[in-house]
Amino acid sequence: MRPPMRSPGRPEPSRAVQRHFWQRIASGVTTAEAAVAVGVSCPVGTRWFRHAGGMPPISLDEPTGRYLSFAEREEIALLRAQEFGVREIARRTGRDAGTISRELRRNAATRGGKPVYRALVAQWKAQQAAKRPKTAKLAGDERLREYVQERLAGSVRRPDGMIVTGPKTPGWKGLNKPHRQDRRWATAWSPEQISHRLPVDFPDDESMRISHEAIYQALFIEGRGALKRELVTCLRTGRALRVPRARSQNRPQGHVTADVILSERPAEAGDRAVPGHWEGDLIIGTGRSAIGTLVERSSRSTLLVHLPRLDGWGASPPVKNGPPLGGYGAIAMNAALTTSMTQLPEQLRKTLTWDRGKELSGHAQFALDTGTKVFFADPHSPWQRPRNENTNGLLRQYFPKGTDLSRWSSTDLEAVATAINNRPRKVLGWRTPAEVFEEQLRSLQQPGVATTG
């Protein structure tokens, strides 16, 4: 009933296994974790993810009982090996005898010269026969394909029409993911812009229509043959694979527990009238260099934390999951912050509000060493640390972006902090942060003055 099929070698895992793999990918786990969870090797899982462009090639909905499952095929194979007849197998599996008869004829293995029913081969044959390959719209419509390609790879032109070549970018190399800094010098349109522009340019031609999702699939999925794969370098993200939404949102933040989120911070910390509450963050430079910044909420006084690189930096290539040698790993960060904060009076180091960076994952030990309770702002909410964000912008005058910040010594950082703290601020009535901070210190030193804390 079916023409001979090519030998599959070792048949690929069943669709149930692949479906569970993509369901785990959709939940946000890594490709390796999803592969191990469903019982396939990590290279197989990586190949599935890469060939599909990061998008599930099959429906994630569980199939209905209309079709035989792999478990049912295993049961049929066992009963057939025990030489039960078709009607007995149908009675025991709860299927129609015609269904069992067709299954045994269609999907039996025939490499040995006579049909032998094996569940794995039968599942593979059923999956191959169920495929309904469809030509992608961009592959079958040359005019539409040319329109999309021209706008994806749009070039910068002078007023006279000459193309501006721009900086030369590295060529596409096999499966390597293009880096964001290597994106093409182009005024490329996004797939969504192209999709919505088509009705404007071709209002009466219904054939010139395509969704932005179809354009992304043509770029990301291997074997579509519609668009040149190197056009992904024209996308604003520069990605060669789609990143599952849950994975992009599932960033490791296990160090942020319910008791250290911003809503648990004391109410007095939100009021600038009470000193001793700080906001902190990192300024990042090239070569994994960084400087820690601390800003007191009421006086705007700034402390800069020196984060030198550790011994061994640059001596050998970086080791994946190895010890961080850039200077702002959890241990190094705790030590540097503790040194800076313990120089202050105890009454002036009540709380510290940080972003969700992993560099402060050892905040519990830091709180024990300094007595400063750490709280973390909500994800993607820089306005919850406004003084620190504003100060970091001022500090970029001294530490420009794209520079190696490790060249600055602790003495240099003290000089910059002194310069920032002695600039008059409008919000302070044109007083300097140093003057306001000095008033706070004097008030703490006066006998009989009650302090909160």
Side-chain angles (χ1 to χ4, degrees):
M1 296 182 65
R2 179 174 292 158
M5 290 184 172
R6 66 170 179 82
S7 172
R10 185 181 187 275
E12 65 181 7
S14 67
R15 286 212 169 187
V17 174
Q18 297 180 42
R19 187 179 300 108
H20 294 158
F21 171 83
W22 285 105
Q23 286 172 346
R24 290 184 175 274
I25 290 293
S27 69
V29 304
T30 65
T31 306
E33 291 171 343
V36 171
V38 300
V40 300
S41 66
C42 293
V44 169
T46 301
R47 185 168 64 250
W48 285 352
F49 187 86
R50 188 179 67 242
H51 288 182
M55 296 184 288
I58 58 177
S59 173
L60 299 185
D61 296 331
E62 293 295 333
T64 63
R66 176 183 176 186
Y67 304 101
L68 290 173
S69 66
F70 181 63
E72 288 178 308
R73 288 190 168 96
E74 287 183 320
E75 187 177 358
I76 292 172
L78 290 173
L79 294 173
R80 189 63 172 174
Q82 298 172 24
E83 300 182 351
F84 285 103
V86 171
R87 293 190 179 278
E88 180 62 19
I89 295 175
R91 187 184 65 80
R92 295 197 178 200
T93 59
R95 290 285 185 172
D96 187 83
T99 300
I100 302 301
S101 177
R102 285 191 299 270
E103 175 68 17
L104 293 175
R105 291 198 309 270
R106 285 179 173 181
N107 298 329
T110 57
R111 294 188 66 189
K114 61 179 182 179
V116 178
Y117 189 83
R118 297 188 179 93
L120 194 62
V121 175
Q123 180 71 21
W124 175 81
K125 283 191 171 185
Q127 291 176 187
Q128 293 298 108
K131 291 181 178 179
R132 299 293 184 269
K134 181 180 179 181
T135 303
K137 187 171 185 179
L138 286 176
D141 191 330
E142 183 177 356
R143 187 163 70 113
L144 180 60
R145 182 172 67 252
E146 291 296 328
Y147 180 93
V148 172
Q149 285 189 155
E150 287 178 2
R151 280 147 186 82
L152 275 177
S155 301
V156 178
R157 295 178 180 269
R158 294 192 178 96
D160 59 0
M162 293 292 292
I163 296 178
V164 182
T165 58
K168 186 177 180 180
T169 56
W172 179 268
K173 297 181 180 179
L175 299 174
N176 289 348
K177 177 181 176 182
H179 298 287
R180 292 192 176 192
Q181 62 266 32
D182 295 337
R183 290 177 295 181
R184 287 188 179 179
W185 175 258
T187 56
W189 291 10
S190 70
E192 186 175 13
Q193 290 170 331
I194 296 172
S195 174
H196 287 83
R197 181 68 185 184
L198 279 166
V200 177
D201 291 344
F202 305 94
D204 301 323
D205 190 350
E206 290 296 326
S207 66
M208 295 294 286
R209 301 288 187 272
I210 192 170
S211 67
H212 64 278
E213 180 65 20
I215 298 176
Y216 278 118
Q217 289 183 4
L219 288 171
F220 290 152
I221 299 179
E222 291 185 12
R224 282 298 179 97
L227 296 176
K228 296 179 180 179
R229 190 76 189 280
E230 55 265 28
L231 285 175
V232 297
T233 59
C234 295
L235 298 177
R236 292 191 181 97
T237 60
R239 292 195 190 102
L241 296 173
R242 172 164 286 180
V243 177
R245 181 178 300 173
R247 181 182 295 182
S248 64
Q249 296 173 350
N250 188 23
R251 297 184 178 179
Q253 295 179 354
H255 62 289
V256 182
T257 54
D259 60 325
V260 293
I261 58 177
L262 190 70
S263 59
E264 299 297 319
R265 190 177 66 177
E268 69 172 32
D271 189 354
R272 295 194 301 268
V274 180
H277 300 283
W278 296 78
E279 297 174 0
D281 196 7
L282 294 179
I283 293 178
I284 304 295
T286 59
R288 298 193 61 81
S289 58
I291 296 174
T293 62
L294 298 171
V295 182
E296 206 276 321
R297 287 175 58 86
S298 62
S299 67
R300 273 66 170 186
S301 182
T302 301
L303 288 178
L304 297 183
V305 182
H306 185 46
L307 299 171
R309 290 172 177 152
L310 305 183
D311 294 338
W313 170 265
S316 58
V319 178
K320 185 176 181 179
N321 296 327
L325 303 178
Y328 56 99
I331 298 177
M333 193 72 203
N334 264 12
L337 272 181
T338 300
T339 301
S340 297
M341 292 296 288
T342 51
Q343 296 176 1
L344 301 170
E346 184 178 354
Q347 297 90 334
L348 288 182
R349 41 186 167 95
K350 297 184 178 74
T351 67
L352 172 62
T353 303
W354 204 266
D355 68 356
R356 297 262 173 147
K358 293 287 286 185
E359 64 273 0
L360 214 60
S361 57
H363 61 88
Q365 186 61 45
F366 170 77
L368 289 175
D369 295 339
T370 63
T372 304
K373 182 67 174 176
V374 178
F375 297 93
F376 293 93
D378 297 331
H380 315 296
S381 304
W383 58 87
Q384 294 178 348
R385 300 176 297 101
R387 288 87 187 170
N388 184 248
E389 289 291 330
N390 178 265
T391 302
N392 286 349
L394 299 177
L395 289 170
R396 283 299 184 183
Q397 176 183 352
Y398 304 93
F399 311 113
K401 292 183 179 180
T403 58
D404 187 352
L405 303 183
S406 64
R407 62 178 178 170
W408 303 98
S409 65
S410 58
T411 304
D412 297 328
L413 298 189
E414 291 178 6
V416 172
T418 300
I420 287 289
N421 289 332
N422 284 279
R423 293 169 62 174
R425 304 288 294 274
K426 180 179 179 179
V427 73
L428 299 177
W430 301 113
R431 292 184 298 168
T432 67
E435 292 171 344
V436 177
F437 193 72
E438 185 64 27
E439 290 180 5
Q440 294 174 351
L441 287 176
R442 286 199 301 267
S443 66
L444 293 175
Q445 294 171 356
Q446 292 176 3
V449 175
T451 60
T452 58

